[in-house]
Amino acid sequence: MLIAQLSDPHVRPDGVLYKGVVDSNALFAAAIAQVNALDPRPDLVLLSGDLVDEGDPAEYAMLRRLLRGLKRPLRVIPGNHDSRTAFAEAFAEHSYLPRSGPMNYVADDCGPVRLVALDVTVPGLHHGVIDDVGAQWLEEALAAAPERPTVLMMHQPPFACGIPYLDAYLCREGDRLAAIVSRHPQVERIVCGHVHRHMQLRFAGTILCTAPSTATAIALRLKPDAEPASFEEPPAMLLHHWQPAIGLITHFLPIGAFAGPYPFA
């Protein structure tokens, strides 16, 4: 099973640039085109939050226009820049999504890998949290299929990455999440967005990784007094490849046209 993960496209209304600088809509369209061109084609596409930049209905209208070009099954989760209400309205035909409240759901009909999506966003704020309701829901969702290889999707990652202006907005109560996941060894991967960079680490007996943004890259500045910054680095996606005899391999794939292919490896 092949799962493509896109994240943080920060779609803007038609003709409006992200932060007044970057054409995030065109970059997201290029990402969709690259997903469509993959061979073999992904069985599933994940979009792990911050689908739009300001939660505005005009942004979601543009997002829907762009997503009409996607030719593979899609599963989505909101981020801190999304509006739960506008998000639910924009994806009203996605029957797996709750109509209100946290957008938690399970997708176990897309292939051998089960997807558990946990909405850790806090409306109106930029950090995430594993609260009592989310923790109980996740425990029950994972306990329902202990033999199925599982990917857990969230938006904010539950760890301090060392970039000070990102760590203020991580997912809080990471220890609570770790305690739950450690009881469920079928969790092959925790996949997140939010940080606009690819990161990975061991977490609760599994691997946690973050997807880069299809828009801009947040600067990798590790000094405690570092000032927030971003760059127009090449956008990228993650490809999670499940093989029964091996498990789940995660690949980093830049988005764009590059010289090659050359007849050597």
Side-chain angles (χ1 to χ4, degrees):
M1 183 177 180
L2 190 62
I3 303 170
Q5 182 187 358
L6 304 175
S7 199
D8 297 82
H10 288 271
V11 168
R12 299 292 282 130
D14 191 15
V16 179
L17 297 179
Y18 173 55
K19 303 302 182 185
V21 176
V22 176
D23 191 347
S24 57
N25 297 352
L27 290 168
F28 189 47
I32 290 171
Q34 187 149 330
V35 168
N36 289 337
L38 290 172
D39 185 15
R41 297 196 300 174
D43 299 284
L44 183 65
V45 178
L46 306 181
L47 190 47
S48 49
D50 282 357
L51 281 58
V52 303
D53 193 46
E54 296 183 355
D56 190 281
E59 294 177 324
Y60 285 106
M62 186 65 209
L63 174 69
R64 293 304 305 270
R65 262 171 62 186
L66 293 167
L67 286 174
R68 281 202 292 268
L70 182 65
K71 296 181 171 61
R72 306 308 300 152
L74 174 68
R75 296 293 182 270
V76 298
I77 198 167
N80 50 294
H81 283 263
D82 290 297
S83 158
R84 277 185 185 165
T85 300
F87 181 96
E89 291 174 355
F91 293 97
E93 80 281 10
H94 287 230
S95 59
Y96 60 88
L97 283 172
R99 293 299 93 200
S100 62
M103 298 287 145
N104 302 328
Y105 63 89
V106 173
D108 54 11
D109 57 350
C110 299
V113 177
R114 186 174 188 248
L115 173 68
V116 174
L118 178 65
D119 180 5
V120 297
T121 60
V122 182
L125 299 174
H126 288 296
H127 70 271
V129 68
I130 308 295
D131 60 14
D132 292 343
V133 173
Q136 181 177 351
W137 180 90
L138 179 61
E139 185 79 65
E140 293 172 356
L142 293 176
E147 304 302 321
R148 288 281 301 277
T150 298
V151 167
L152 171 59
M153 177 169 64
M154 304 162 49
H155 180 62
Q156 293 98 333
F159 67 92
C161 69
I163 301 174
Y165 42 85
L166 287 178
D167 289 342
Y169 304 120
L170 53 65
C171 178
R172 300 174 185 176
E173 302 292 339
D175 289 347
R176 173 183 272 186
L177 177 69
I180 296 169
V181 172
S182 65
R183 292 193 288 271
H184 298 280
Q186 79 272 22
V187 178
E188 290 279 340
R189 199 74 85 248
I190 303 172
V191 299
C192 303
H194 188 57
V195 294
H196 289 219
R197 301 202 64 84
H198 178 49
M199 306 177 190
Q200 62 181 4
L201 79 161
R202 291 285 297 173
F203 182 88
T206 188
I207 297 171
L208 188 155
C209 61
T210 67
S213 169
T214 61
T216 55
I218 290 178
L220 180 57
R221 294 181 170 180
L222 299 175
K223 294 178 65 175
D225 59 350
E227 292 293 326
S230 292
F231 289 95
E232 290 186 60
E233 295 179 8
M237 70 177 80
L238 298 183
L239 287 176
H240 308 287
H241 187 197
W242 165 258
Q243 301 169 83
I246 297 174
L248 192 67
I249 301 173
T250 294
H251 301 273
F252 176 92
L253 181 64
I255 296 165
F258 305 97
Y262 301 112
F264 56 80

